[in-house]
Amino acid sequence: MPDAAPLWATVILPVALVSVAVVTAGFDAVLSAAAVRGRPGSPREVGTWAAAPLREAFRLLAQQPRRTIAADVALGRIGVVLVPVAAVLAGAVLPLGFRPVSDPAVGIVWFNAMEALAWAAVWLTGWGPNSALSLIGGYRFLAQGLAYELPHMFAITTAALGAGSLRVGEVVAAQDGLWFAVWMPVAFLVYLLSAMAMSFWGPFGHPLGRDTAGGAAMELSGVDRLVLLGGRWLLMVVTAAVSVPLFLGGGNGPLLPPWAWTLLKTALVLAALVAGRRLLPTLRMERYTEFAWLVLVPATLLQALVVAVVVLNR
Amino acid sequence: MALPAVLPGATQARLGVEAELRRRGWETAQAPAAADLLVVCGSPYPEEDRRLDTLLRTMSQPAARVDVTRPEHAAQALDEGFALLRDKAASRSESPLGHEDAAAGKHDAHPAKGTAPAGPAHGPHHEHAGPGHPGQDAPGGHSGHEAHTMSTVAGLPMADRAADRDGLSLDRLNLPLGPVLADWPAGLILRCALQGDIVQEVHVDRVPGPSDGTSFWNEPWSRAARGEPVERGAAARRRCAAHLDSLGRLLSLAGRPDTAARLRRLRDDVLAGAPSVHCGERLQALTKRVERSRTLRWGLAGLGRLSAERARQRGVTGPALEADGDVHDRLLTWSREARRAVRDFDDGRPLSTGRLIGPRGTVEGTVPPSQALLDVLPELLTGTELGCARLIVASLDPDLDEPVAVPATEGAHA
């Protein structure tokens, strides 16, 4: 079993997550700008487009925060700050190569617990400003949680079942020969869907939807806004990255060192999510819940059953 | 980040601003909080003007406002806005006193009207946030919703209670949607009573608009009705662009921002007179993708069903009548009509003055086509979720540049 990483990894982790998030947001911005403005004229133009999220971050840093009347500032702040905090804490069990910052015996449970913090975070953010549309956005995320969380938990349970361990390191070790994504495709696909859902992004962006003028984030400005929206990208990077040890063999791979394989696989998953979001419209939860409970829950349960039978006969 | 506030009658100015924002790569904000530049399209009535100033005061500092009345002034206005913001940011960092003043003024101000409906505690107060009420005084008096006795928090009335659809007594808050709201018909205000996010009651209202009531989208047909010679090609281009505009709004709300952006770019090219072959190819590719999207159908089908029979009863004449169905059917109708219109781009024959059917229905009939669309709104929206209500409004896309009347007295300027 791999050892835990040295102490410096604790410092490196947030920096690495932020860097990957900036690159991913830049890629997303280029695709969006191409839709708005047509084909880019020069590589330089593409560079300008890719830097848009960074420019926006600096703009928000210069903006004075504003308050709404009778707002619960403390609660709202807690909600906003919880988003990146949950992301980084969830990332603690993320092995870069084979060494995570921490590899507890219940690593998968830890990851799931941290991402569930996002429920509280978005709801508090929506509640804080004392604003109707913002509150509606917050509640939408609870409805979303109700829809995605069960299939999601069955999906990660399936990976743990396949390895016979809740330790992320052992899940990676169990995929030495065959990736879990290959023989647990349903669980893997459901996991990718919930990666977008828990970072309330893309087709699952309804809590921050345009129809509510930004939903839970509607009243946020300045640093608050930066922390929430930045935290959202961090959450997405972390959940996408965790799919690598859970389903894509972690750092296993020929030629390249394990950390490079981890990074490469993470990048591919993120690229798939950024491109894939453009194929789906925003999912309204009254429709998606039906699909999640009638199709995804039975499908993931069946998947878990198949894996359980295989494991028992091994 | 710019926040466009579009007034009735300012469609051309809006198109100019949108094109200019796109050229610069500036993003459009969804709500005042994120924005720093308020771009007012059109010339507001004094009352509306004061409201917009109040809105500006509730935006995060530094913030500035510019007005655009003609599309060709958009570039200059945005330059000015940028300079204003730069100056404000500079002066703020120089004098800490100015900084505090700004903050204090902002703290007192109401969190914007329309788009920034503040919380469960706010209720009816919102309806007249703005003009005479920069502070948090006097919750009563204007809106017609405050027949109840209210306790107040921070000077704001508490939410009221009423029976919901299951007969439970639940909080009910009055929330105006619009007029400054992304992907929203210019000038429209829907005064909704919400329980949770279910729309219980809707009153249609509008910001006071121009008295001449000429609509940019109906222009070719209006001119033909007055006996002026209008080429069929010009009318077809206008129809196509109008549908692309509506489609852009609907798809943006439905969560397909990239497709919406492509449709809007195509809309501007169609209006600018791009060759019909070129437009036709792009339109074909885009609309095919939209029409075939199963996920889009899954998301939109069943919402806001308006049968042809019911539509005819209410005087609806345009695509909404022809669609004879839900939000998705109306989307398909726009898409098909836009593609059909492209074929007539090069038709130089004059528009016949027999049946003048504009993008939203019969122009110069007994009532403007958008009037009928506004009239069906309350029955379609009542009982829907807020998100669905937004989609239904976008799928009808009433054009308040037309001389429509609303029941509320304060909106009866048109």
Side-chain angles (χ1 to χ4, degrees):
Chain A
M1 198 202 68
D3 305 326
L7 202 59
W8 53 260
T10 321
V11 185
I12 293 290
L13 175 72
V15 178
L17 288 180
V18 170
S19 322
V20 177
V22 167
V23 173
T24 316
F27 176 51
D28 187 59
V30 168
L31 292 188
S32 293
V36 173
R37 306 174 68 183
R39 262 195 208 116
S42 62
R44 203 191 139 100
E45 204 173 355
V46 177
T48 326
W49 293 353
L54 275 182
R55 277 199 304 276
E56 172 67 3
F58 284 119
R59 187 186 75 92
L60 288 175
L61 280 176
Q63 203 179 39
Q64 266 185 46
R66 82 204 252 284
R67 298 241 174 99
T68 44
I69 304 300
D72 196 327
V73 179
L75 272 190
R77 281 266 149 79
I78 291 173
V80 167
V81 172
L82 259 184
V83 177
V85 167
V88 173
L89 287 181
V93 294
L94 191 66
L96 184 67
F98 293 115
R99 289 142 68 100
V101 168
S102 160
D103 195 14
V106 288
I108 290 180
V109 178
W110 168 265
F111 166 72
N112 199 33
M114 288 308 109
E115 72 189 15
L117 274 183
W119 288 36
V122 177
W123 187 79
L124 287 175
T125 308
W127 174 272
N130 186 26
S131 157
L133 291 182
S134 169
L135 185 69
I136 289 174
Y139 272 111
R140 277 181 179 176
F141 191 60
L142 297 191
Q144 185 154 310
L146 220 54
Y148 84 78
E149 191 65 36
L150 265 188
H152 171 70
M153 295 210 320
F154 288 134
I156 53 178
T157 310
T158 308
L161 196 60
S165 168
L166 287 168
R167 195 187 291 272
V168 176
E170 286 176 14
V171 176
V172 176
Q175 298 176 73
D176 204 4
L178 186 63
W179 292 1
F180 282 175
V182 178
W183 63 289
M184 307 173 188
V186 177
F188 179 57
L189 287 177
V190 167
Y191 183 88
L192 288 187
L193 276 181
S194 44
M196 292 193 271
M198 77 185 59
S199 47
F200 44 101
W201 177 89
F204 294 89
H206 212 213
L208 268 61
R210 245 185 121 70
D211 53 349
T212 43
M218 168 185 155
E219 300 289 359
L220 299 180
S221 58
V223 180
D224 293 340
R225 192 175 186 83
L226 177 63
V227 170
L228 182 90
L229 296 185
R232 174 157 86 151
W233 281 107
L234 288 184
L235 259 183
M236 202 179 87
V237 168
V238 168
T239 44
V242 168
S243 77
V244 174
L246 287 192
F247 295 101
L248 298 174
N252 288 318
L255 297 176
L256 294 176
W259 65 265
W261 272 114
T262 310
L263 209 60
L264 185 68
K265 290 173 185 174
T266 306
L268 287 178
V269 172
L270 282 171
L273 292 184
V274 167
R277 109 174 206 195
R278 288 168 164 78
L279 302 174
L280 284 172
T282 302
L283 300 169
R284 276 177 303 109
M285 280 310 125
E286 79 265 23
R287 294 269 152 105
Y288 186 75
T289 308
E290 201 179 299
F291 174 69
W293 284 64
L294 293 180
V295 179
L296 294 186
V297 168
T300 44
L301 277 177
L302 265 179
Q303 173 82 86
L305 180 69
V306 169
V307 171
V309 169
V310 170
V311 169
L312 279 180
N313 288 321
R314 208 152 44 191
Chain B
M1 203 180 255
L3 177 72
V6 190
L7 294 157
T11 301
Q12 268 185 293
R14 164 173 72 90
L15 295 177
V17 167
E18 281 183 14
E20 190 55 32
L21 289 174
R22 176 169 61 224
R23 201 181 62 75
R24 290 163 191 247
W26 292 8
E27 274 191 71
T28 308
Q30 297 177 27
D36 37 32
L37 187 61
L38 178 65
V39 186
V40 177
C41 304
S43 31
Y45 279 35
E47 182 196 337
E48 191 56 24
D49 195 46
R50 281 194 300 275
R51 270 206 252 203
L52 288 168
D53 274 334
T54 310
L55 175 67
L56 177 67
R57 279 203 297 282
T58 68
M59 283 164 59
S60 311
Q61 298 300 317
R65 168 184 166 174
V66 290
D67 288 35
V68 182
T69 46
R70 297 164 62 122
E72 58 271 26
H73 294 162
Q76 194 195 341
L78 292 187
D79 281 341
E80 280 167 17
F82 187 69
L84 271 172
L85 283 177
R86 211 180 34 206
D87 292 350
K88 277 203 175 185
S91 67
R92 196 157 57 88
S93 53
E94 277 163 25
S95 87
L97 193 69
H99 172 111
E100 274 170 23
D101 281 350
K106 189 155 39 60
H107 189 80
D108 261 356
H110 196 278
K113 55 160 192 167
T115 52
H122 290 211
H125 178 81
H126 237 292
E127 309 228 349
H128 45 77
H133 307 267
Q136 293 308 311
D137 48 4
H142 291 250
S143 66
H145 284 290
E146 64 275 11
H148 33 260
T149 51
M150 293 170 291
S151 54
T152 57
V153 170
L156 301 168
M158 290 288 285
D160 183 21
R161 291 232 168 146
D164 82 336
R165 53 184 177 182
D166 302 324
L168 299 168
S169 173
L170 289 183
D171 278 2
R172 170 191 175 101
L173 37 128
N174 294 304
L175 174 82
L177 287 176
V180 185
L181 193 56
D183 302 314
W184 184 253
L188 179 65
I189 304 172
L190 287 185
R191 304 199 182 278
C192 306
L194 293 184
Q195 284 184 322
D197 61 351
I198 304 287
V199 178
Q200 299 287 6
E201 221 181 295
V202 186
H203 294 280
V204 178
D205 198 357
R206 65 171 296 170
V207 300
S211 45
D212 64 346
T214 48
S215 154
F216 173 72
W217 298 122
N218 288 342
E219 195 198 342
W221 295 273
S222 300
R223 279 174 49 211
R226 288 198 299 270
E228 294 174 36
V230 179
E231 281 187 11
R232 284 184 192 189
R237 270 186 194 273
R238 197 61 63 90
R239 180 192 310 280
C240 181
H243 288 342
L244 289 176
D245 191 47
S246 303
L247 280 171
R249 221 170 246 170
L250 180 55
L251 287 174
S252 170
L253 277 181
R256 299 291 289 264
D258 286 11
T259 316
R262 291 195 173 92
L263 288 166
R264 284 171 176 157
R265 188 151 43 87
L266 178 58
R267 168 200 70 194
D268 291 351
D269 291 346
V270 166
L271 285 175
S276 56
V277 183
H278 178 65
C279 293
E281 278 169 10
R282 277 166 65 193
L283 188 64
Q284 191 78 17
L286 274 172
T287 49
K288 278 285 170 222
R289 219 181 305 158
V290 170
E291 287 171 25
R292 281 184 194 154
S293 168
R294 281 197 196 171
T295 47
L296 203 56
R297 178 189 302 272
W298 179 48
L300 298 180
L303 294 180
R305 202 171 281 284
L306 179 67
S307 67
E309 191 191 355
R310 185 77 189 124
R312 211 169 282 121
Q313 278 172 11
R314 303 302 304 250
V316 175
T317 49
L321 169 70
E322 198 180 309
D324 184 22
D326 53 28
V327 169
H328 190 254
D329 293 314
R330 292 194 277 278
L331 171 120
L332 293 181
T333 310
W334 278 338
S335 176
R336 275 195 303 267
E337 281 198 7
R339 264 188 293 135
R340 208 179 302 143
V342 174
R343 288 186 225 137
D344 299 334
F345 274 12
D346 302 320
D347 192 338
R349 288 174 296 167
L351 202 61
S352 69
T353 51
R355 274 174 81 234
L356 295 169
I357 302 192
R360 286 171 178 81
T362 310
V363 180
E364 308 292 320
T366 45
V367 288
S370 293
Q371 182 74 59
L373 297 177
L374 288 179
D375 291 344
V376 294
L377 274 182
E379 67 184 83
L380 289 186
L381 298 186
T382 307
T384 59
E385 249 182 72
L386 188 71
C388 307
R390 291 284 323 259
L391 290 168
I392 295 170
V393 172
S395 76
L396 293 170
D397 203 22
D399 175 15
L400 276 76
D401 294 7
E402 295 172 14
V404 294
V406 293
T409 46
E410 58 186 283
H413 293 256

